[in-house]
Amino acid sequence: RMTFSTDIAENKTSYFYDENRDPYALSEVKMADKGGANPDEVSYTYYTLAQDPLNNGQIHTVTTKSHIQTISYFGAYNKDSAVRSNPNNFGNIKQIETKKHSGELIQKIVYEHDKTGNISDATYSSGLSETDPNFENMNYSEKYKYNSLNELIQDDILNKNGTAKQTTHFKYDANANVVENLIRDAKGTILPGSKSFVFKDESGNYHDNKILSITDLDTNVFHDLKNAY
């Protein structure tokens, strides 16, 4: 097991485990700059048999100095209607709720899954947007579509009222590499972040699946990476 790591700037990260439950289950991660300055930590808890027998051992909470995140999962067939209607929901993440230590909701994410277990819908909501307009963008939803290989091919982002905000289309090559991600807003304008990737050379050969070039589709700027490796 890893007990600590130190990066090139001598920032240290220490790892602690739940010895009573699972010697490989992280219970706490502590981070500090060189000399122990600016300490920070993240702690984890896991579902027990008493809390949720079917999801025993899954991460239950993640706690930091600023917030606590609670994760819930789809449960038993005879207790969870979402599992009865779609058995592939079983064991998948149902909801992630992030709150301040005061109890104020920062954000809640609710997931739905398709018949093969892929996430099909994610709905994001935030209590902060009720008092601060800067957080309005935390209230939206996403819908995902996949091809027959379970590769994500479309990601639709919808505003809180259900109107289209932006759509991303993905294309893949035979090696399952993303060769294009095209992002458009509701008007069809290509947005920054849209890129195409080339993995094969002029002879049609791959080079350990390395990216040979990238083109920014919103500006048509070409980046040659052949000599970057």
Side-chain angles (χ1 to χ4, degrees):
R1 301 179 310 184
M2 180 181 290
T3 57
F4 72 90
S5 62
T6 305
D7 64 20
I8 194 170
E10 297 186 38
N11 302 313
K12 184 177 180 180
T13 303
S14 301
Y15 305 90
F16 302 86
Y17 300 85
D18 188 344
E19 300 291 352
N20 295 322
R21 176 179 183 79
D22 181 344
Y24 291 96
L26 275 174
S27 61
E28 195 171 30
V29 177
K30 294 185 177 181
M31 298 149 284
D33 297 344
K34 181 179 179 181
N38 301 314
D40 197 3
E41 61 183 64
V42 181
S43 60
Y44 303 85
T45 66
Y46 300 82
Y47 280 101
T48 64
L49 281 170
Q51 290 173 317
D52 189 341
L54 293 172
N55 290 301
N56 176 42
Q58 298 271 41
I59 292 178
H60 184 197
T61 63
V62 180
T63 303
T64 70
K65 285 184 176 180
S66 61
H67 66 266
I68 180 169
Q69 192 174 72
T70 303
I71 304 169
S72 59
Y73 303 82
F74 289 100
Y77 182 87
N78 61 342
K79 294 182 179 180
D80 196 329
S81 60
V83 176
R84 289 197 298 274
S85 62
N86 180 9
N88 285 301
N89 276 326
F90 174 71
N92 284 320
I93 293 177
K94 184 177 186 177
Q95 178 178 294
I96 299 176
E97 192 172 69
T98 305
K99 292 183 176 182
K100 295 180 179 179
H101 288 288
S102 64
E104 183 179 12
L105 177 67
I106 298 174
Q107 188 175 57
K108 180 169 69 175
I109 311 172
V110 178
Y111 296 97
E112 296 180 21
H113 297 75
D114 62 21
K115 296 299 181 182
T116 58
N118 296 312
I119 294 174
S120 58
D121 297 78
T123 302
Y124 300 77
S125 58
S126 172
L128 298 180
S129 64
E130 302 300 324
T131 57
D132 188 339
N134 293 324
F135 288 95
E136 180 62 31
N137 61 356
M138 294 178 72
N139 289 267
Y140 63 97
S141 62
E142 291 191 66
K143 294 183 177 295
Y144 307 96
K145 295 181 181 178
Y146 304 84
N147 61 21
S148 59
L149 299 175
N150 288 321
E151 296 169 333
L152 179 64
I153 57 173
Q154 187 171 324
D155 175 2
D156 294 315
I157 299 179
L158 308 176
N159 294 307
K160 183 179 180 180
N161 61 7
T163 58
K165 183 177 183 180
Q166 71 178 49
T167 297
T168 304
H169 289 93
F170 301 91
K171 293 181 180 179
Y172 301 82
D173 64 13
N175 281 7
N177 298 307
V178 175
V179 295
E180 182 179 281
N181 65 287
L182 181 62
I183 310 168
R184 294 183 184 271
D185 63 17
K187 297 180 180 180
T189 303
I190 297 177
L191 299 177
S194 299
K195 300 179 183 297
S196 64
F197 307 89
V198 173
F199 292 85
K200 294 192 290 187
D201 62 22
E202 292 81 358
S203 301
N205 298 315
Y206 288 96
H207 295 264
D208 297 324
N209 267 353
K210 293 177 180 178
I211 300 173
L212 302 183
S213 67
I214 299 174
T215 300
D216 299 323
L217 298 178
D218 58 318
T219 58
N220 285 322
V221 174
F222 177 79
H223 307 274
D224 190 345
L225 303 178
K226 293 186 180 69
N227 297 319
Y229 303 105

